Amino acid sequence: MTTTAATPAPGVRGATSEAAARVPHVVIVGAGFGGLRVARALARAPVAVTVVDQHNYHCFLPLLYQVATAGLEPQDIAYPIRAILRRYRNVAFRMARVARADLAGRTLITERGERIGYDHLVVAAGSVTHDFGNPGVAAHAFGLHDIDDARAIRNHVLRLLERAEAMADGPERAALLTLVVVGGGPTGVELAGALAEFRRHVVPRDYRHVRADDLRVLLLEGTDRILGALPERLRQAALSDLAALGVDVRLGTLVGTLDAGAVTLADGARLATHTVIWAAGVKGPPLAAALGLPPGRGGRIAVGATLAVAGHPEVQAIGDVALVAGAEQLPQVAQVAMQQGEHAARNVVRALAGEPPLPFAYRDKGTMATIGRSRAVCHLRGLDLRGRLAWWAWLVVHIVMLIGFRNRLVVLVNWAWNYVTYDRGVRAIVGAGDGRGAP
Amino acid sequence: MTTTAATPAPGVRGATSEAAARVPHVVIVGAGFGGLRVARALARAPVAVTVVDQHNYHCFLPLLYQVATAGLEPQDIAYPIRAILRRYRNVAFRMARVARADLAGRTLITERGERIGYDHLVVAAGSVTHDFGNPGVAAHAFGLHDIDDARAIRNHVLRLLERAEAMADGPERAALLTLVVVGGGPTGVELAGALAEFRRHVVPRDYRHVRADDLRVLLLEGTDRILGALPERLRQAALSDLAALGVDVRLGTLVGTLDAGAVTLADGARLATHTVIWAAGVKGPPLAAALGLPPGRGGRIAVGATLAVAGHPEVQAIGDVALVAGAEQLPQVAQVAMQQGEHAARNVVRALAGEPPLPFAYRDKGTMATIGRSRAVCHLRGLDLRGRLAWWAWLVVHIVMLIGFRNRLVVLVNWAWNYVTYDRGVRAIVGAGDGRGAP
């Protein structure tokens, strides 16, 4: 069946009045930071909008590492898309996986074979973990790119600790208690810092035979710096914060191969471990190729300066999945996706009015990363912060960004609890196996 | 390796001083209401205690139905066992699945082959869903007996709604929107009521093409009454509360066969549905048989009036898994398990002092069930409540019972949110498939 505008297939009761009026139909693929911003910006435009996502929730990715380290619940950072879009009368949601597109026919085809027609398409499909062609990564490393990743890491680490608690000292126990994070970007740094705090404050309290020192947290980075987007002074501050927390940071360290029980470095050194978390970069999702749009570096969709695809002015791509001509160096972060989302919506409105699209220009609002309790670095416009003040700035920004009042409240309760007690309240191993079962 | 007392295997650093003193070792299998009560009651006794459970959390089973209907998070009702036991210096925790026992050698053997020696054993292994030999139940019905069950139900129902929202009217859509609960005990009644409230308050708000009336909630009960433990007047109150919420209650209705798309009743009538939740009873877990202890009706362990196993005075069974001679009609509820837990601990202490065990006597403190917002029934000693007052009583009792301050706080936030907004905040479909994928 074919869906047009925000209406369901013919025959479904309650078809909205938009169907009769036949307003243009804008389809947005992906309900991340970028996709939701497009929907919001079109909420008062004379269009019918359908947001399509494989999940029924928006995930607040910047706090994934807190789920991975048992500081927050998965659902604290996952908000139902329907609850977000409810207030926009011309925006509908469809939970589906897009399989491919008929670009000439302006139609998406879902994995179930449903057809979703569009007049304008905005692809905001995000990114996936980039293994840089290393075959061991998919088989033996954890990603940290969605809720299931985060939960798998948490359950895995908690299971390792249970095993180690009941095990005699020796190389196997040492391997169980060695956690390796690969990649010194914000994700890797925040995760390594949170693991180090978990080790310091939770492990000695809960486990009688695992000492904090027994657990090792390593952060491997191939270049000579972590948090490359920050100025030198803040990079050094982050390094010394990590060192103070006991993270073993190894710069200039490239990963060679991974197998079930170890990671082998490019220089041949071998680290026995069952826990490698791969935070070394992202690439475009498989959908980017499946749509038949022009491919760009890193599995992304190549778009022009206006965010439109060459030859298809009715198709735009934004956020992590888009490689913008002339702005190839833009970071794959929420800020870029949100600004591009606003811009894509503006270009849709201009097209409806018969006006040509405008080129996108990024306004950098700054970068921040938290390393631990009262330890963070912020690089804002003309303002560099570190330490406690930066941490509070980080906290406020992230709570304000969290969508949904209830989530803010629950996150606040959890953070306040952690702050007062140095505890992690969320440690139950719930959910199916992580697929990389503890040895 | 063999573990004795609360100490780890030889060679593990930090072995506690109990090991040297060689105090008697009490092993408790299961960290439910009963098992935890034993541990707490022995916290000041001259024994070393080890609690063994396959999960690292205690699950507050009375609120499972709220997780299944998206009112609470899984982790709101799952509290880490280590955090509960931390305060008791002589109590250790071991996360493991017990495979079998060497009763003569007073040793448990885990699935990993580890051996755990004991001087006293308390089996508090709970129960599992009882399918009464109906082969369709395991294949096609959901249980509601652990966290994974509850999450599977929630994800399944939310997926069905997503499907129905995009589907044309007809028999297939009607089947998707038919939810069948089997069993009119407290679990079935509370679940059916919560599903009806979800339908009334959440569905019309989130789904534009699914009307509340499109969703049917049926409660099938084989006997002529629901909540059989309650007096006639409260049973009638519960029935009319369910009717007011729009639950289609069918008494005297026995289930015949289940298949992938329907449930067939004993009288031959066929209900097209993809959602059958089986709350018709429980039986002893497989472990009850695997231990080689005397079997009792319903897959339970037969114990004498003192809770000890015939021929093995050092082994007691409590809670759902125990069938007590002379008290076979005791309900399988938390109150019984907790009182038996206290009693088992007392008998251990008496044995250490060379005193004979005492028989167990149950003090019935009452029964309560909630049907929906401001609708509940309470049968306390000499006091029957219904309606709003009963609901508040239910609320207070359950919050007080919830272990852990943080959990109480989060549950309160969620309930307050629901009460004020009529909303369910927790609707993200997180986690692996439910194994009974939507059609």
Side-chain angles (χ1 to χ4, degrees), chain A residues 320-353:
Chain A
D320 281 11
V321 79
L323 188 69
V324 183
E328 286 83 358
Q329 300 308 318
L330 280 182
Q332 287 167 289
V333 297
Q335 265 303 320
V336 172
M338 289 190 288
Q339 292 183 27
Q340 290 181 342
E342 299 272 1
H343 190 82
R346 202 172 306 129
N347 277 346
V348 166
V349 171
R350 290 178 64 87
L352 297 178

Side-chain angles (χ1 to χ4, degrees), chain B residues 62-408:
Chain B
L63 292 181
L64 260 189
Y65 79 94
Q66 297 228 359
V67 174
T69 54
L72 289 175
E73 293 297 342
Q75 309 246 5
D76 294 338
I77 65 165
Y79 203 74
I81 295 167
R82 289 191 182 280
I84 298 169
L85 299 179
R86 198 150 62 187
R87 73 195 84 165
Y88 309 131
R89 299 208 146 266
N90 65 329
V91 181
F93 172 64
R94 175 73 67 88
M95 180 170 149
R97 284 178 196 268
V98 174
R100 55 198 175 84
D102 167 8
L103 295 174
R106 298 191 178 184
T107 301
L108 297 177
I109 296 99
T110 72
E111 284 190 356
R112 287 181 187 275
E114 294 161 330
R115 302 172 67 85
I116 303 172
Y118 62 81
D119 299 299
H120 291 270
L121 175 65
V122 181
V123 182
S127 54
V128 297
T129 298
H130 193 350
D131 61 12
F132 296 97
N134 189 322
V137 172
H140 301 295
F142 293 89
L144 182 56
H145 209 63
D146 62 32
I147 290 262
D148 288 333
D149 287 344
R151 211 179 45 176
I153 291 170
R154 172 170 79 179
N155 287 353
H156 175 80
V157 170
L158 292 171
R159 284 199 191 98
L160 293 185
L161 285 166
E162 292 293 337
R163 289 276 293 146
E165 171 81 354
M167 185 180 276
D169 219 352
E172 178 51 27
R173 186 169 183 274
L176 287 176
L177 294 173
T178 299
L179 311 179
V180 178
V181 178
V182 180
T187 301
V189 167
E190 295 191 324
L191 180 65
L195 286 171
E197 294 222 311
F198 178 80
R199 166 183 65 181
R200 175 179 290 190
H201 298 301
V202 175
V203 169
R205 204 178 328 197
D206 270 9
Y207 300 91
R208 296 192 187 162
H209 307 297
V210 181
R211 296 181 313 193
D213 288 349
D214 294 351
L215 191 65
R216 294 170 69 203
V217 180
L218 289 96
L219 178 62
L220 312 184
E221 164 59 38
T223 73
D224 64 347
R225 58 183 61 180
I226 60 169
L227 301 175
L230 292 182
E232 167 73 14
R233 200 172 67 90
L234 291 184
R235 292 203 309 268
Q236 289 303 328
L239 267 181
S240 62
D241 279 347
L242 285 170
L245 287 172
V247 176
D248 183 355
V249 182
R250 303 201 183 169
L251 301 177
T253 300
L254 288 165
V255 169
T257 58
L258 278 77
D259 56 54
V263 50
T264 305
L265 305 179
D267 66 7
R270 192 178 152 87
L271 282 166
T273 178
H274 300 284
T275 313
V276 177
I277 304 168
W278 192 261
V282 296
K283 64 177 179 181
L287 178 63
L291 289 178
L293 295 167
R297 181 169 50 78
R300 294 192 271 175
I301 297 169
V303 296
T306 65
L307 306 181
V309 168
H312 285 284
E314 77 283 6
V315 179
Q316 300 182 83
I318 63 170
D320 282 10
V321 79
L323 188 70
V324 183
E328 286 83 357
Q329 299 308 319
L330 280 183
Q332 286 166 289
V333 297
Q335 265 303 320
V336 173
M338 290 191 287
Q339 291 183 28
Q340 291 181 341
E342 299 271 1
H343 190 82
R346 200 173 307 130
N347 277 345
V348 166
V349 171
R350 289 178 65 88
L352 298 178
E355 297 167 347
L358 295 174
F360 171 74
Y362 179 55
R363 297 176 305 285
D364 187 357
K365 293 189 179 172
T367 307
M368 46 187 22
T370 188
I371 293 104
R373 188 182 154 83
S374 300
R375 298 174 195 272
V377 287
C378 291
H379 178 56
L380 310 172
R381 276 175 287 191
L383 181 66
D384 285 353
L385 302 175
R386 58 166 298 190
R388 188 177 298 268
L389 193 60
W391 189 73
W392 280 105
W394 179 92
L395 206 76
V396 168
V397 165
H398 282 80
I399 288 189
V400 168
M401 278 176 75
L402 263 178
I403 289 171
F405 169 74
R406 177 194 160 276
N407 285 41
R408 274 204 287 269

Side-chain angles (χ1 to χ4, degrees), chain A residues 14-190:
Chain A
T16 59
S17 56
E18 288 98 326
R22 188 62 189 96
V23 298
H25 187 207
V26 181
V27 172
I28 302 163
V29 178
F33 288 111
L36 287 185
R37 200 51 79 99
V38 180
R40 197 177 80 174
L42 291 175
R44 292 173 189 283
V47 293
V49 178
T50 300
V51 175
V52 183
D53 198 290
Q54 60 180 309
H55 297 297
N56 80 331
Y57 56 84
H58 166 78
C59 177
F60 192 83
L61 294 174
L63 292 181
L64 260 189
Y65 78 94
Q66 295 227 2
V67 174
T69 54
L72 290 175
E73 293 296 341
Q75 309 247 5
D76 295 337
I77 66 164
Y79 203 73
I81 295 167
R82 290 191 181 279
I84 298 169
L85 299 179
R86 198 151 61 187
R87 72 195 86 164
Y88 309 130
R89 299 208 146 265
N90 65 330
V91 182
F93 172 64
R94 175 73 67 90
M95 179 171 152
R97 285 178 196 268
V98 174
R100 56 197 175 84
D102 168 9
L103 295 174
R106 298 191 178 182
T107 301
L108 298 177
I109 296 100
T110 72
E111 284 191 355
R112 286 180 187 277
E114 294 161 330
R115 301 172 67 85
I116 303 173
Y118 62 81
D119 300 298
H120 292 270
L121 175 66
V122 181
V123 183
S127 54
V128 297
T129 297
H130 193 351
D131 61 13
F132 296 97
N134 189 322
V137 172
H140 301 296
F142 293 89
L144 183 56
H145 210 62
D146 61 32
I147 290 263
D148 288 333
D149 288 343
R151 211 178 45 173
I153 292 170
R154 171 170 79 178
N155 287 354
H156 176 80
V157 170
L158 292 172
R159 283 199 192 98
L160 293 185
L161 284 166
E162 292 293 337
R163 289 276 294 148
E165 171 80 355
M167 186 181 275
D169 220 351
E172 178 51 26
R173 186 170 183 274
L176 287 176
L177 294 173
T178 298
L179 312 179
V180 178
V181 178
V182 180
T187 301
V189 167
E190 295 191 324

